Amino acid sequence: MLVRYFEDEGYRVTAVPDGVGLRRVLAGRDVDLILLDVVLPGQDGYALAREVRAHSDLPIIMLTGRDDVTDRVVGLEIGADDYIAKPFHLREVLARVRSVLRRRRPAAAPVAAETPPAEVYRFDGWLLDIGRRELTNAAGGHVELTTGEFDMLVTFVRHPGRVMTRDMLMELTRGRNWDAFDRTIDAQIARLRKKIEEVPAEPRLIKSVRGVGYVFAGRTEP
């Protein structure tokens, strides 16, 4: 059903029954996004998402028959970019796929005589190039971020020192395409802290504001 629907919308789709098929596809062709069911023979979707995320920031949307907050948070903590519970409407799945791909790809450069200035931020030894969607550490190494992690970091560096509620973060990073429950935000931020904080358990850049949300305490230099 999903294959036919997405092919009718102009997408090239390959369906596989298990992790073996997924690995074969990833090894043999370029893939823009994985729509991954949680319930699969052999390795489940969570294990496969963890495997993919260990060496790639390829967008992943999880599909599951369980609409439990804990299950959603597990998927997001593993590194999924979105999470859709069954039963779902095909148009909703299409909208979420388009949303993830849209955020994943840099906007096309406008046809104009002048090239717009690059939007680059420096903070605490890090370099964030928004146009290139790249995060570079002080040693010049690139740090891979998922779509959700990148969008979250962009939101923070654009609003340094501003206390952001979870609702504000949901609206600025995902708009209406994010299910409104607090722990999705917490899971994304926990993963982001592991990548940019020296001591994730004692964050200096992304600080919690008890009872409100979060604040980016780093000093940004455009």
Side-chain angles (χ1 to χ4, degrees), residues 191-204:
R191 284 167 34 209
L192 184 56
R193 280 172 168 167
K194 290 178 181 179
K195 296 184 178 182
I196 69 172
E197 299 278 7
E198 290 185 13
V199 183
E202 300 175 5
R204 295 187 303 106

Side-chain angles (χ1 to χ4, degrees), residues 100-171:
V100 170
L101 291 176
R102 188 166 55 246
R103 295 195 315 275
R104 172 74 175 173
R105 294 167 181 158
V111 179
E114 292 186 14
T115 301
E119 189 176 3
V120 178
Y121 293 87
R122 294 173 177 82
F123 61 94
D124 202 48
W126 295 93
L127 179 67
L128 181 67
D129 188 324
I130 294 178
R132 294 178 179 272
R133 298 188 70 84
E134 291 180 349
L135 177 65
T136 308
N137 60 27
H142 293 295
V143 176
E144 289 191 351
L145 299 177
T146 66
T147 302
E149 293 164 359
F150 185 89
D151 292 344
M152 188 71 68
L153 183 56
V154 169
T155 298
F156 278 126
V157 300
R158 284 175 171 169
H159 303 87
R162 180 180 177 184
V163 177
M164 311 283 284
T165 67
R166 291 174 176 82
D167 286 343
M168 291 169 63
L169 289 169
M170 282 190 283
E171 183 65 28

Side-chain angles (χ1 to χ4, degrees), residues 18-19 32 36-37 42 54 58 65 77 81 83 86 93 105 133 162-163 167 202:
D18 53 25
D32 294 311
L36 184 59
D37 204 314
L58 188 66
E77 287 178 340
D81 294 279
Y83 195 107
K86 304 174 185 177
V93 180
R105 294 167 181 158
R133 298 188 70 84
R162 180 180 177 184
V163 177
D167 286 343
E202 300 175 5

Side-chain angles (χ1 to χ4, degrees), residues 34-39 45-46 49 60-86 88 92-93 96-97 100 103 174 177-179 181 184 188:
I34 301 173
L35 195 60
L36 184 59
D37 204 314
V38 170
V39 180
Y46 293 132
I60 299 172
I61 297 179
M62 307 289 293
L63 294 176
T64 179
R66 295 180 295 186
D67 191 18
D68 183 83
V69 170
T70 301
D71 291 329
R72 295 190 185 199
V73 171
V74 169
L76 293 168
E77 287 178 340
I78 289 171
D81 294 279
D82 207 343
Y83 195 107
I84 304 174
K86 304 174 185 177
F88 50 73
E92 177 192 6
V93 180
R96 292 190 181 229
V97 166
V100 170
R103 295 195 315 275
R174 303 283 289 275
N177 289 312
W178 195 329
D179 293 325
F181 63 97
T184 56
Q188 290 275 19

